[in-house]
């Protein structure tokens, strides 16, 4: 399973999405059972996309992340291409649909 880079501030998050051509942010909270159940599924899926850099944000630690990305619930998966958000999945994530969306972006960008 792929591991995530822990991001501890809005500046670090913005730098991460700008510095990486393809990036995925996973926003969660420590006490969220859905977050903990989904994370290993995302890690496994992301093995198919080695060019996508993975970042994790603890919403309890980086409280301003909710306002920065207009997040109203966790978990949230945000996928960025060249610093622009292209995919947003929240709370109940259908892994097969997420994989279809990732495939399209990955084939177009990473080739």
């Amino acid at each position: 399973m792929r591991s995530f880079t822990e991001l501890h501030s809005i500046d670090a998050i913005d730098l991460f999405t700008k510095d990486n051509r393809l990036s995925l942010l996973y926003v969660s909270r420590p006490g969220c059972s859905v977050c903990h159940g989904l994370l290993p599924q995302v890690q496994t899926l992301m093995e198919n996309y080695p060019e996508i850099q993975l970042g994790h944000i603890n919403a309890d630690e980086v409280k301003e992340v909710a306002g920065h990305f207009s997040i109203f619930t966790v978990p949230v998966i945000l996928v960025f291409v060249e610093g622009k958000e292209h995919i947003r999945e929240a709370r109940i994530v259908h892994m097969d649909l997420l994989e279809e969306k990732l495939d399209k972006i990955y084939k177009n960008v990473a080739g």
Side-chain angles (χ1 to χ4, degrees), residues 10-57:
I10 293 297
D11 288 341
I13 294 164
D14 287 344
L15 194 61
F16 185 81
T17 58
K18 287 183 179 112
D19 282 354
N20 294 297
R21 190 170 179 209
L22 291 165
S23 59
L24 178 145
L25 298 179
Y26 188 83
V27 184
S28 66
R29 287 201 158 92
C32 167
S33 61
V34 176
C35 300
H36 292 288
L38 182 63
L39 183 59
Q41 295 176 58
V42 173
Q43 287 175 302
T44 300
L45 174 65
M46 295 314 295
E47 289 178 4
N48 300 325
Y49 308 99
E51 299 289 319
I52 300 177
Q53 300 305 307
L54 309 177
H56 175 257
I57 301 135

Side-chain angles (χ1 to χ4, degrees), residues 67-83:
H68 191 69
F69 290 115
S70 299
I71 293 171
F72 303 105
T73 187
V74 289
V76 174
I77 296 170
L78 302 171
V79 177
F80 293 82
V81 178
E82 296 174 353

